[in-house]
Amino acid sequence: MSDAPLLRIEGLTKHFHLPGGRVVHAVEDVNLAIDRGHIVGLVGESGSGKTTVGRTLLRLTEPTAGRMIFDGTDVFALSARDMRVWRRRLQIIFQDPYSSLDPRLTIAAIIDEALDTRGLPKGRARRDRIAELLELVGLAADHATRYPHQFSGGQRQRIGIARALAVEPDFIVADEPVSALDVSVQAQVLNLLEDLRRRLNLTMLFISHDLSVVEYACDEIVVMYLGRIMEKGPSRALRADPLHPYTKALLASAPQPDPTRVRTHVPLAGDIPSPISPPSGCVFRTRCPIAIAACATRIPPTRDLGGGRSVACLRVGEGADHPPFEMEAHA
Amino acid sequence: MSAAAPATMPTSGGEIDGLAEGVVLAVTDLETHFPSRRGVAKAVDGVTFTLPRGRTVAVVGESGSGKSVTSLSIMGLIAPPGHVAGGRILHRDRKGVVRDLAKLSNAGFRHIRGPEIAMIFQEPMTSLNPLMRVGDQIGEMIALHERISRRALRARVIELLQLVEIPEPETRIDAYPHQMSGGMRQRVMIAMALACRPNLLIADEPTTALDVTIQAQILALLRRLQADLGMSVLFITHNLGVVAEIAHEVVVMYAGRVVEQAPVGDLFARPSHPYTRALLASTPNIARDIDAEGRRRPLAAIPGAVPPITALPPGCAFAPRCAHVLDACREGRPGLVAIAPDHVTRCIRRDLP
Ligand SMILES: Nc1ncnc2c1ncn2[C@@H]1O[C@H](COP(=O)(O)OP(=O)(O)OP(=O)(O)O)[C@@H](O)[C@H]1O
Ligand SMILES: Nc1ncnc2c1ncn2[C@@H]1O[C@H](COP(=O)(O)OP(=O)(O)OP(=O)(O)O)[C@@H](O)[C@H]1O
Ligand code: SF4
Ligand code: SF4
Ligand SMILES: [Mg+2]
Ligand SMILES: [Mg+2]
């Protein structure tokens, strides 16, 4: 673990402007630091702003406000020209291995395109590098001459990973990288990512809606709701002792492969509200089982709890124990 | 064939005996084929399972294993040139009449689909009409099967919306699908399926597209409806966690075949088939896969990928990926063997620990 984080995001905000003057508050004042060699998981319900965070970090979507200090540089302040040089240091792996690869290109050509930005001369060295990359992700060098449709979903995701690694990025955003895969194949790709992280000291933001995948794959977990961070902390601590009512509900909602567990309560009622008119105060208050009057008027400040943990809830740490989250009983 | 006769006439064709008491549906050696210029795709190629009355049976399997084709075959909804090429689908209706749905005509199915068996389809947006108010869509289902006044119909729809726990049903009845969240739309789909009070509900991945929080809500709803209405449910999913939450019994499919059926407790405690075991082992489980120092153990991934159904290996379809494969596995196709009174498996090895 290094002293200074590889990247630090401060006050990241993204508003999308819709026709008619309406504004989507997709991301609101997100602060986050990621250490080199760490995989940070980003979880939250659909529409909570996970993809938008990932895309703005790569400036695939321009942020509305905020800074990202990456290795000492404010990336959001870079000119379009400087950004082009920077882009190769930041890569993204997409959810859908089917649509993210150009069907008309061979695997060699797909990776070759990525290597262009690296300035590696064409010829022998490139061919060797392509073979090396394919091997790195568990494919064979002779796969290079084939087309995407000749591969299975898991293999295509490996190709997407090889493409992202081709330029030796410092940081990778993986947006639901295993969500489209079957469990047996998902396990192969998770093993590959862990193996690569160890060998290449990769730093990654891992976006997923599957908590068991995030708990397994990530060192830290960030929980988002309606554009804001509710809680973050090391995976194990967060799982063992979730503090924010939303984190508790998410963990309790995840189905467990254990039929002796009998669920007696639904952890969270209702739906996530529209980000066009998010609730005042704490955005979670309309579904929060322990909300109080103050939650409607005050935006909960993020409190640093030490040990890498922080939480944004007015009622956490107020002393009194909250109504227990009785969610299950054992048969 | 006289299957067009009303279902109330126990003498009409397509009826047979041989369905054990207390069983609503028994599928035996079902084969569903899709011919094409490049050959026949055997999407379902040996599906055998039983659904006891008033129970929930989950069908679990990876993408392409034939789960949806199995349920569409039961509903008689396989579009030509696809067809049921073999096997039996014995169904007992609410009057006790047993029919082989594999041989039922389209006209015969008119009395089955809706009042006897209803289905929630995998793609919710393709089964809801975006231009029609949700209440009208539910009402249409009812009006298809009974004569009812407009006022009574509206009352029935509101009752159904209440049943699926949609808040403010008197207002929501007039909403369009796009005005609802994914969870609310899924509740509407369930209301539509329940409109004619079926005694068998087939739910094809009804929670796969939903967030875990909403999934927990829908699973709780389906559990309650199943118990309150005494329905039998065939629940299709690829998620073993969901299986553990909803099912009484589990059917595991691989490459168009059923490889194991067992009560849910047995399946998780004593999985028998190597594929079932491998599937359980490859699902991340923090207690098992992360050691005391917080280090990850590699997941027990299954090597390779599911073979395309047009190129299945001879013998056991799982053989190319199986850690316990023997030469004999590649020769003959293993049959389903009972290893306990209500636990069957399709594997030749009886000697695995
Ligand atoms: N280009 C856009 N224009 C307008 N609104 C957008 C745009 N992109 C995203 N949004 C909105 O911003 C919010 C956050 O979306 P985002 O895709 O980041 O969520 P997410 O957490 O990744 O969700 P999911 O789990 O469904 O992928 C949503 O309400 C979404 O509809
Ligand atoms: N109309 C069709 N024509 C030809 N092949 C088909 C047709 N419908 C399904 N198949 C094939 O049959 C096989 C089984 O498909 P099915 O949809 O039943 O899988 P599934 O288990 O429901 O998968 P998923 O989990 O992805 O929904 C697949 O290989 C599929 O490509
Ligand atoms: S601040 Fe209030 S509404 Fe928000 S999570 Fe805490 S208790 Fe609930
Ligand atoms: S029959 Fe053979 S190959 Fe098939 S699952 Fe059993 S041991 Fe494995
Ligand atoms: Mg997203
Ligand atoms: Mg399906």
Side-chain angles (χ1 to χ4, degrees):
Chain A
M1 255 162 256
S2 53
D3 311 318
L6 175 66
L7 72 141
R8 184 186 295 284
I9 302 151
E10 291 167 4
L12 177 62
T13 297
K14 177 64 192 180
H15 294 169
F16 291 104
H17 293 271
L18 301 180
R22 287 173 311 158
V23 178
V24 180
H25 300 254
V27 176
E28 206 71 71
D29 192 21
V30 159
N31 300 288
L32 185 63
I34 302 182
D35 288 340
R36 195 182 288 277
H38 271 213
I39 299 186
V40 173
L42 190 53
V43 299
E45 282 165 290
S46 183
S48 57
K50 306 180 295 294
T51 294
T52 306
V53 167
R55 289 179 57 88
T56 47
L57 295 191
L58 270 64
R59 286 183 62 183
L60 297 171
T61 299
E62 287 298 331
T64 304
R67 302 202 306 162
M68 169 162 93
I69 311 298
F70 189 101
D71 215 5
T73 303
D74 184 352
V75 173
F76 292 171
L78 290 175
S79 68
R81 185 139 162 246
D82 291 339
M83 192 58 211
R84 226 171 298 141
V85 183
W86 259 82
R87 182 132 290 154
R88 70 145 199 91
R89 300 186 63 179
L90 315 167
Q91 289 292 310
I92 188 161
I93 301 169
F94 296 97
Q95 162 171 6
D96 188 355
Y98 299 91
S99 64
S100 65
L101 301 173
D102 187 336
R104 295 160 306 178
L105 296 183
T106 63
I107 303 316
I110 286 169
I111 298 176
D112 205 57
E113 221 174 42
L115 287 172
D116 278 343
T117 59
R118 196 73 181 97
L120 195 67
K122 299 241 184 216
R124 180 76 204 234
R126 276 226 185 178
R127 279 198 303 278
D128 286 352
R129 178 74 180 135
I130 291 169
E132 186 183 78
L133 282 161
L134 288 177
E135 216 161 289
L136 186 69
V137 297
L139 295 170
D142 66 358
H143 282 141
T145 56
R146 299 195 200 164
Y147 291 87
H149 76 264
Q150 294 172 290
F151 293 91
S152 70
Q155 287 175 319
R156 277 184 257 216
Q157 198 53 290
R158 287 169 193 269
I159 295 164
I161 294 169
R163 176 177 59 184
L165 293 175
V167 296
E168 293 165 40
D170 297 297
F171 176 62
I172 294 177
V173 171
D175 193 356
E176 309 265 9
V178 297
S179 304
L181 305 176
D182 278 318
V183 278
S184 74
V185 176
Q186 167 182 300
Q188 295 172 8
V189 175
L190 289 176
N191 285 344
L192 170 67
L193 286 176
E194 171 62 9
D195 180 50
L196 293 173
R197 184 182 74 105
R198 263 194 228 153
R199 284 159 65 184
L200 309 177
N201 200 31
L202 285 183
T203 311
M204 191 181 290
L205 184 70
F206 187 108
I207 298 171
S208 177
H209 64 272
D210 187 334
L211 274 158
S212 59
V213 164
V214 166
E215 283 174 80
Y216 174 77
C218 301
D219 305 294
E220 287 154 70
I221 297 179
V222 175
V223 180
M224 272 186 88
Y225 185 80
L226 219 53
R228 292 179 184 269
I229 293 181
M230 299 289 110
E231 179 167 10
K232 65 177 178 242
S235 300
R236 287 219 294 172
L238 201 92
R239 178 192 166 74
D241 180 27
L243 296 172
H244 196 283
Y246 183 58
T247 313
K248 293 185 189 195
L250 264 189
L251 284 169
S253 297
Q256 300 296 320
D258 174 7
T260 62
R261 224 179 68 132
V262 179
R263 206 183 270 283
T264 52
H265 294 75
V266 172
L268 198 56
D271 287 298
I272 189 167
S274 161
I276 293 173
S277 48
S280 64
C282 175
V283 287
F284 186 55
R285 72 176 163 83
T286 53
R287 298 167 85 191
C288 180
I290 58 167
I292 50 175
C295 303
T297 53
R298 277 189 66 201
I299 295 175
T302 300
R303 285 201 298 128
D304 192 335
L305 304 171
R309 296 196 66 166
S310 65
V311 62
C313 169
L314 296 176
R315 297 200 62 190
V316 168
E318 66 179 8
D321 235 359
H322 308 132
F325 256 79
E326 262 320 328
M327 249 63 84
E328 58 183 75
H330 273 267
Chain B
M1 191 143 109
S2 59
T8 46
M9 287 176 58
T11 49
S12 68
E15 293 156 20
I16 16 157
D17 297 321
L19 189 58
E21 201 50 48
V23 172
V24 173
L25 188 75
V27 177
T28 314
D29 297 327
L30 180 66
E31 290 175 36
T32 303
H33 295 173
F34 294 97
S36 77
R37 248 170 291 136
R38 288 186 293 148
V40 175
K42 297 180 176 175
V44 167
D45 185 30
V47 164
T48 297
F49 69 90
T50 52
L51 174 48
R53 183 196 314 282
R55 307 298 271 173
T56 298
V57 170
V59 178
V60 65
E62 294 179 89
S63 186
S65 58
K67 305 181 297 294
S68 293
V69 171
T70 297
S71 37
L72 293 171
S73 303
I74 296 168
M75 294 292 282
L77 291 175
I78 297 293
H83 61 280
V84 173
R88 301 206 295 179
I89 305 171
L90 297 190
H91 170 255
R92 188 195 311 276
D93 72 14
R94 62 181 76 238
K95 297 200 173 62
V97 179
V98 175
R99 287 184 188 75
D100 184 356
L101 303 182
K103 300 196 172 61
L104 200 61
S105 68
N106 250 329
F109 263 113
R110 224 170 289 145
H111 308 284
I112 299 290
R113 277 184 225 128
E116 289 290 343
I117 311 178
M119 181 161 170
I120 303 168
F121 294 92
Q122 191 166 354
E123 322 288 347
M125 272 328 248
T126 57
S127 11
L128 281 180
N129 181 346
L131 301 177
M132 224 173 135
R133 297 175 197 277
V134 296
D136 292 342
Q137 301 192 46
I138 300 170
E140 214 175 44
M141 291 297 289
I142 300 170
L144 210 59
H145 291 275
E146 55 188 282
R147 289 186 170 282
I148 183 168
S149 74
R150 279 187 62 89
R151 270 189 60 189
L153 187 62
R154 192 171 170 91
R156 269 277 289 285
V157 172
I158 289 175
E159 213 173 279
L160 276 162
L161 293 175
Q162 254 155 5
L163 184 70
V164 297
E165 297 163 14
I166 289 184
E168 298 161 47
E170 298 83 359
T171 346
R172 295 299 182 95
I173 186 172
D174 296 317
Y176 289 93
H178 70 87
Q179 295 170 315
M180 301 185 127
S181 66
M184 284 302 150
R185 279 199 293 263
Q186 197 54 279
R187 287 172 195 271
V188 170
M189 298 291 300
I190 297 171
M192 269 169 83
L194 299 182
C196 302
R197 306 186 174 106
N199 56 9
L200 167 55
L201 176 68
I202 302 178
D204 191 357
E205 309 251 13
T207 62
T208 303
L210 303 174
D211 279 308
V212 284
T213 51
I214 310 301
Q215 169 168 280
Q217 297 172 7
I218 299 292
L219 291 178
L221 173 68
L222 285 171
R223 258 194 316 262
R224 182 180 69 71
L225 291 172
Q226 191 272 327
D228 289 359
L229 309 177
M231 268 188 313
S232 313
V233 178
L234 193 65
F235 190 103
I236 292 163
T237 178
H238 63 270
N239 185 322
L240 285 163
V242 170
V243 169
E245 295 222 349
I246 193 98
H248 299 110
E249 291 201 25
V250 190
V251 171
V252 183
M253 285 190 68
Y254 185 78
R257 298 171 195 170
V258 164
V259 297
E260 187 162 3
Q261 176 168 8
V264 69
D266 277 4
L267 192 98
F268 282 87
R270 289 174 290 283
S272 170
H273 196 278
Y275 174 65
T276 312
R277 295 179 183 201
L279 203 57
L280 283 164
S282 62
T283 309
N285 176 333
I286 303 312
R288 180 191 65 203
D289 300 322
I290 299 205
D291 69 17
E293 273 93 67
R295 277 188 306 255
R296 300 175 186 91
R297 299 194 179 98
L299 294 169
I302 308 178
V306 182
I309 46 168
T310 45
L312 287 180
C316 174
F318 189 53
R321 307 174 75 189
C322 182
H324 308 288
V325 60
L326 302 175
D327 283 346
C329 306
R330 299 202 175 87
E331 282 153 21
R333 260 177 73 166
L336 276 174
V337 202
I339 51 167
D342 45 9
H343 193 158
V344 293
T345 178
R346 195 188 288 280
C347 172
I348 61 165
R349 294 198 62 169
R350 293 280 72 75
D351 55 331
L352 298 175

